[in-house]
Amino acid sequence: DLPGLFDPRAEAVALQSDGGVIVGGGANNASVQKGFVFRVKDDGTLDSGFATNGVFAIDSPAGAGLPLTFHGLVVLDDDTIIAAGGPSDLVVLRLTNGGEPDTAFDDDGVAHFNMGNVDIGGGIFVDTNEEAYGLAVQADGSIVVAGMTQPDPISPTNVPVAARITASGGLDTGFGVEGFVFLSGLTSQAALYDVVARPDGDLVVAGLSVLPTQLSANGKTTSTLSDPYAAQAINGLVALADGRVV
């Protein structure tokens, strides 16, 4: 059980250098679904020294009463924790190795981004619902998140999207279009589920109903895998030391 939270759903897991297990997801409290990150010791018990009684929980920064779930999780070499999720906005959280908000990241440890008034082509402006599912950290500390947006609230159709956030928590407007890269989905449910950074700085993104795509470090499409079977559902990616991606 997680203190003060009910029906927890784990979405992502990562290891710290001492063997501690970091878990991210979403859970209910009395009024709203909160995003959480907790730490389990190597003996399988909740680490009460992490955050508050072992759990860091947060309401959605997108607005009062909105739900939040963290789907993506990365632990850096110094055991700093980065989590990404949604919905409503793309939400990125950075915690210290002890589970406290990293105030060097957007002042309070959490950044969120809505794509209102970003032209994705054809006169469509994104201004509704965003969600991040995967993330990767580049060599300079920049964070790239992968997910989706729904630009039309009347007839919701997902648009796969990647965004880059600076190491200090701001949107990197030099990446793609005003900080975002939009890809073509093959169905209305298309979304990017993961992103990896290759050793040469390039990125590879993949997900549901979207062709796996390689992006340059500044968000330009450099290649796309044409095999339609590869677009059915890819939930995770791993970059190997030689640059290949599994």
Side-chain angles (χ1 to χ4, degrees), residues 217-246:
N218 63 357
K220 303 296 184 182
T221 298
T222 58
S223 64
T224 300
L225 187 63
S226 60
D227 186 346
Y229 290 103
Q232 292 184 4
I234 295 176
N235 292 316
L237 298 168
V238 176
L240 304 180
D242 63 3
R244 293 180 297 168
V245 174
V246 178

Side-chain angles (χ1 to χ4, degrees), residues 183-207:
L183 300 179
S184 297
L186 303 182
T187 74
S188 63
Q189 299 302 309
L192 294 177
Y193 285 162
D194 207 1
V195 52
V196 292
R198 299 176 65 176
D200 62 2
D202 285 351
L203 302 160
V204 177
V205 294

Side-chain angles (χ1 to χ4, degrees), residues 31-33 59-60 62-68 88:
S31 59
V32 67
Q33 180 173 298
D59 293 326
S60 173
L66 295 174
L68 176 62
S88 299

